Amino acid sequence: MNVLVVNAGSSSLKYQLFDTANGSVVAKGLCERIGIDGAITHKQLASGKEYSAQLPMPNHTAAMTYVVEALTNADHGCVKSMDEIEAVGHRIVHGGAYFSESMLLNKDVLAKLELCRDLAPLHTGAHIQGIEGCLAVMPNTPQVLVFDTAFHQTMPKEAYTYAIPTELYEKYAIRRYGFHGTSHSYVSAEMTKILGKVEGTKIVTCHLGNGSSISAVKDGKVLDTSMGFTPLAGVEMGTRCGDIDPAIVPFLMDKLNMNTTQINDYLNKKCGFLGVSGVSSDCRDLEAAIAAGNENAKLAMDLLGYQIKKYIGSYAAAMGGLDAIVFTAGIGENTASIRKRALDGLEFLGVEYDADVNEKTFGRNGVTELSTKNSKVKVYMIPTNEELVIASDTEAIVKASK
Ligand code: AMP
């Protein structure tokens, strides 16, 4: 089945056309600066042909019109008409407590998504515009929503509840939701295949990229996860602070004379690797700075390694044991020094890994075992593929609905 995967942001729209028969990407591209001026870059994978243009994109519907043109173009396109695309799968950041699985779009589902707007205003607004854009140009094509939060809906109450008055949960739905669910779902499922079973497995999945989250997956279901009400919580990230003492927020607002929007922006965009190192939000820049003797860059990396180690230990305690640790996403797949920082010292849990293999392991090499034969805990690098999960979920739901 040809499935178009759409990831709509506030001023951007990424797309990938999948052939789910073999999981291959047929074409992909990006519309940028939507609502400002507009630009599209598009690539047809088989021929390598590329196309880019600056085009007026007042909204996501206009952007989708150009996506249709690019996909059906006689030179760099890949389908004769949009009828050859049988379904659209949308990445949706926040499904609140309404969605515990991917859903076929209908009026009821769209109304529930509207209710999630309050939880992630920028993201949800953009997703709805992306959906409207697709409905405008492909009105008869089924659309499926795939939620970053859905896989985490199995968390028990004690894992998702914050110690604030219960009425706030009832009134404002304040609780832990967790994000990167499609990635945690994909790599934990791959890991259970390696372990040869789902029931009885205890896995910690470490999705480490610009945004990072760590999950405890027991019996194939999420027991706990590091991100919270928003994707700001958990471990240190590229520019996000992760967990800090909540009292720091009013303290900083006072000292730096910031309002709520400004402090939210600050904690999301000026902290993490960037804030601690003063150098960059990118791991590769930090490694270069460390090689040049920058102590703050080293602290930024040490901090993340230490936090991952603490999560692994606490999740092993929460699950009552540990069978496997999985590293994925940009840093998890490619940055050996972070994996080393996280794993060193976990011998007491039965973790033993091959330092040489770790050094030589990159996402492009595919699934790689880092643990030694004697290790009681399997340690793996498994490249994530969130778009493929969206495409396969979409295919399954559309087929089931026919
Ligand atoms: P992501 O958000 O998953 O794209 O991850 C981005 C992070 O991964 C950045 O901090 C990058 O520095 C880091 N990274 C390290 N090595 C690589 C690599 N070879 N390719 C992509 N990202 C990398």
Side-chain angles (χ1 to χ4, degrees):
M1 182 184 278
N2 280 333
V3 176
L4 183 64
V5 172
V6 171
N7 184 351
S10 51
S11 65
S12 68
L13 187 148
K14 283 188 218 154
Y15 61 93
Q16 289 196 13
L17 181 63
F18 275 87
D19 176 357
T20 55
N22 54 18
S24 66
V25 179
V26 181
K28 63 179 180 180
L30 168 69
C31 293
E32 288 174 287
R33 299 177 61 82
I34 301 171
I36 307 165
D37 37 31
I40 183 168
T41 47
H42 170 91
K43 184 170 183 179
Q44 189 208 75
L45 274 294
S47 66
K49 277 188 181 167
E50 289 183 28
Y51 158 74
S52 61
Q54 309 232 322
L55 297 159
M57 291 180 195
N59 51 41
H60 289 70
T61 303
M64 272 311 297
T65 313
Y66 298 121
V67 173
V68 169
E69 273 178 28
L71 290 169
T72 53
N73 186 279
D75 176 53
H76 50 259
C78 45
V79 287
K80 284 202 181 74
S81 92
M82 291 307 271
D83 294 343
E84 290 177 37
I85 296 175
E86 290 156 87
V88 181
H90 291 270
R91 179 198 174 210
I92 307 289
V93 167
H94 215 313
Y98 299 106
F99 300 106
S100 54
E101 57 191 2
S102 305
M103 298 293 281
L104 188 67
L105 184 75
N106 58 33
K107 270 194 183 147
D108 194 38
V109 167
L110 195 55
K112 283 201 180 117
L113 183 61
E114 275 288 353
L115 297 176
C116 300
R117 211 187 259 269
D118 209 21
L119 297 170
L122 290 180
H123 283 116
T124 311
H127 297 329
I128 291 174
Q129 286 179 32
I131 292 167
E132 284 168 351
C134 288
L135 285 172
V137 298
M138 308 163 75
N140 301 319
T141 311
Q143 307 205 24
V144 171
L145 310 189
V146 181
F147 303 90
D148 270 14
T149 45
F151 186 54
H152 300 298
Q153 281 294 303
T154 50
M155 276 188 286
K157 262 193 170 171
E158 64 269 27
Y160 73 68
T161 304
Y162 291 120
I164 56 173
T166 309
E167 69 201 48
L168 294 180
Y169 168 60
E170 286 154 6
K171 200 166 175 189
Y172 301 116
I174 298 175
R175 49 160 283 181
R176 182 187 303 282
Y177 289 100
F179 299 87
H180 298 134
T182 36
S183 178
H184 290 287
S185 157
Y186 175 74
V187 298
S188 61
E190 291 299 303
M191 193 65 231
T192 56
K193 284 183 205 160
I194 294 166
L195 293 171
K197 57 178 183 174
V198 177
E199 285 307 308
T201 56
K202 295 159 183 164
I203 302 170
V204 173
T205 48
C206 307
H207 177 109
L208 310 171
N210 262 323
S212 297
S213 63
I214 301 181
S215 294
V217 187
K218 192 180 181 194
D219 305 322
K221 297 188 196 100
V222 175
L223 181 76
D224 206 344
T225 191
S226 63
M227 281 181 165
F229 181 59
T230 72
L232 182 57
V235 294
E236 177 194 31
M237 299 175 228
T239 59
R240 285 173 246 169
C241 58
D243 287 345
I244 58 171
D245 180 342
I248 295 171
V249 178
F251 183 86
L252 270 185
M253 289 173 81
D254 207 22
K255 294 284 177 203
L256 303 181
N257 197 20
M258 287 179 174
N259 61 28
T260 48
T261 311
Q262 288 167 324
I263 190 76
N264 193 38
D265 228 45
Y266 188 80
L267 297 175
N268 272 288
K269 295 184 183 156
K270 303 278 185 222
C271 296
F273 279 167
L274 178 65
V276 176
S277 69
V279 173
S280 168
S281 62
D282 193 296
C283 224
R284 290 165 286 195
D285 296 340
L286 295 195
E287 292 209 297
I290 293 171
N294 186 314
E295 281 297 318
N296 288 343
K298 181 171 176 305
L299 176 61
M301 300 274 280
D302 286 348
L303 215 154
L304 176 61
Y306 178 66
Q307 292 180 340
I308 299 167
K309 193 197 307 289
K310 283 209 296 186
Y311 268 104
I312 294 172
S314 65
Y315 285 167
M319 292 189 289
L322 185 62
D323 298 316
I325 301 168
V326 182
F327 290 99
T328 195
I331 295 172
E333 291 169 25
N334 300 299
T335 311
S337 68
I338 286 290
R339 293 190 299 247
K340 175 177 162 49
R341 282 171 168 94
L343 294 170
D344 284 349
L346 291 182
E347 298 78 12
F348 78 101
L349 279 177
V351 175
E352 206 184 282
Y353 73 100
D354 186 319
D356 283 342
V357 173
N358 181 47
E359 285 301 321
K360 291 176 194 138
T361 294
F362 297 94
R364 62 174 177 271
N365 306 131
V367 176
T368 307
E369 177 168 10
L370 307 177
S371 40
T372 61
K373 280 212 169 74
N374 290 331
S375 184
K376 291 199 188 98
V377 177
K378 297 238 173 261
V379 183
Y380 270 77
M381 183 285 290
I382 301 181
T384 196
N385 197 339
E386 289 162 280
E387 289 79 12
L388 180 62
V389 175
I390 297 174
S392 7
D393 260 28
T394 301
E395 178 186 37
I397 287 178
V398 169
K399 276 190 174 160
S401 74
K402 279 185 178 165

